[in-house]
Amino acid sequence: MSLKEAIENRYPGVNEQVVLLREKLFAACQHYIDAGLGDQNAERRLCSTDNPTYWQQLSEILVAHQLQLAELCFHHPKEGPDFCVQHEGRRIWIEVITPTPANVPEAWLAPANGSVRDFPHEAILLRWTAAIKEKAEKLLGNDRGFRGYLTTGIVAADDAYVIAINPRLLRGFGGAFDCIDGISQFPFAVEATFAVGPLQVRINRETLEGSPPEHQRRMLISKSIGKAVPADTFLDQRFIPISAIWAIDADEGTLMGKIPRSAVVHNPLTTNPVPIGLLPSQDEYIARTLDDENYQLERIQGRLSSVAEMAGIIK
């Protein structure tokens, strides 16, 4: 099956918008392949009927598309992470992953019409932490004998390393809404790296007065089976080589001009930071040091914030 046939089968219909989407999608995929921005199996993966396989590959194309729109100089290396951005004499590696919705309730992913459902925020957050762990091991290696990019020399000690996570497959309401923000109202990428939990109010047992709302400090995320999972990646010295998490909820609509919901979360411990405003996003999160044990998390506007406001995305 050719790439064009595979896209036609995945997006059937004669509606003008669907036809235009197929054209845009085929052009973007073909450009990606012709430009050598993907692995040798990129076309085969785009032709796959397996949804996770297709979306992992398409996510790389959509990330590349965003980098091109941002006019960043990058290439796809023969070995190592998906993309290498050259910026002011430095190398910034970007590794892309699209988490599968394992253990995310079907009632969230494909709800019945009119049904009322819980927000499975912990199940979704566990997919974010799993994605970060997987791509962190690609860089750092693990205790099972896998040698990471740093050990093999593909990524140098002074290179920046960014994990780009597309949560497209974790969306609820049948994929209608993005899946960037967690129960804390911060992005899942913040919850997974800074141990930020839900809002809480403390009640004084004697006066019954409530405290001002504050976020829980959630170091671990419970699992139904197995050990609890750490949610403090950017507070852990072991992960200093990871520069940032780039959360980008991109779908086919980005090729039609839709601005994907996105955020860059910076690691305050890293020795190889990514410049603020470099990667395309609406929001960026940085942690400013207050003392030896405390940070203050700050949200700042990203390079896409003004574009999003003009498009009516941010009110």
Side-chain angles (χ1 to χ4, degrees), residues 92-96 160-164 242-246 274 279:
I92 300 171
W93 298 90
I94 299 176
E95 184 80 336
V96 183
Y161 182 82
V162 176
I163 301 174
I242 299 175
S243 306
I245 306 297
W246 180 15
V274 174
L279 296 174

Side-chain angles (χ1 to χ4, degrees), residues 22-294:
R22 287 199 299 261
E23 292 175 355
K24 294 278 189 180
L25 191 56
F26 176 72
C29 292
Q30 196 62 57
H31 170 77
Y32 179 86
I33 294 168
D34 293 344
L37 294 175
D39 295 329
Q40 292 183 347
N41 64 354
E43 184 169 355
R44 176 179 61 79
R45 290 166 64 83
L46 288 169
C47 293
S48 175
T49 57
D50 178 68
N51 219 33
T53 299
Y54 170 78
W55 270 103
Q56 175 58 44
Q57 186 58 69
L58 184 62
S59 291
E60 295 176 17
I61 292 172
L62 298 177
V63 168
H65 179 67
Q66 291 299 302
L67 294 174
Q68 289 166 341
L69 289 178
E71 299 183 342
L72 294 175
C73 178
F74 70 100
H75 69 279
H76 173 71
K78 292 182 179 179
E79 294 182 288
D82 297 303
F83 305 115
C84 181
V85 175
Q86 302 283 346
H87 178 72
E88 296 182 352
R90 294 184 61 218
R91 296 194 301 183
I92 300 171
W93 298 90
I94 299 176
E95 184 80 336
V96 183
I97 185 169
T98 304
T100 60
N103 300 319
V104 176
E106 191 66 20
W108 168 258
L109 298 170
N113 289 335
S115 64
V116 177
R117 296 155 300 119
D118 291 331
F119 176 32
H121 58 94
E122 287 192 342
I124 295 173
L125 180 56
L126 285 169
R127 303 312 301 148
W128 280 82
T129 57
I132 292 170
K133 180 177 183 293
E134 179 179 334
K135 294 307 182 181
E137 289 187 351
K138 284 279 191 178
L139 177 68
L140 305 172
N142 57 37
D143 56 8
R144 300 185 301 276
F146 176 77
R147 301 170 72 238
Y149 296 139
L150 282 173
T151 303
T152 59
I154 294 175
V155 175
D158 57 352
D159 290 345
Y161 182 82
V162 176
I163 301 174
I165 301 178
N166 182 3
R168 171 63 180 82
L169 296 178
L170 305 179
R171 290 180 180 179
F173 296 90
F177 298 97
D178 66 58
C179 198
I180 291 289
D181 294 330
I183 193 67
S184 67
Q185 300 178 32
F186 282 101
F188 280 109
V190 169
E191 295 184 358
T193 54
F194 285 105
V196 177
L199 284 167
Q200 64 181 5
V201 174
R202 300 180 186 273
I203 305 297
N204 186 304
R205 292 185 179 181
E206 295 181 359
T207 65
L208 298 183
E209 293 181 350
S211 69
E214 61 182 9
H215 286 95
Q216 295 178 11
R217 183 180 177 88
R218 181 172 55 182
M219 304 298 290
L220 297 171
I221 311 162
S222 299
K223 296 174 62 178
S224 57
I225 300 176
K227 295 181 179 180
V229 175
D232 61 346
T233 304
F234 285 172
L235 305 177
D236 190 328
Q237 294 282 338
R238 294 177 299 168
F239 299 102
I240 283 177
I242 299 175
S243 306
I245 306 297
W246 180 15
I248 173 170
D249 194 327
D251 59 21
E252 309 93 329
T254 63
L255 301 175
M256 304 278 284
K258 173 185 172 183
I259 302 172
R261 180 83 168 80
S262 54
V264 176
V265 181
H266 296 268
N267 185 353
L269 301 180
T270 190
T271 54
N272 304 314
V274 174
I276 294 172
L278 179 70
L279 296 174
S281 70
Q282 284 107 15
D283 303 314
E284 301 202 33
Y285 291 83
I286 59 175
R288 300 193 185 279
T289 303
L290 295 180
D291 53 48
D292 292 340
E293 296 183 356
N294 295 288

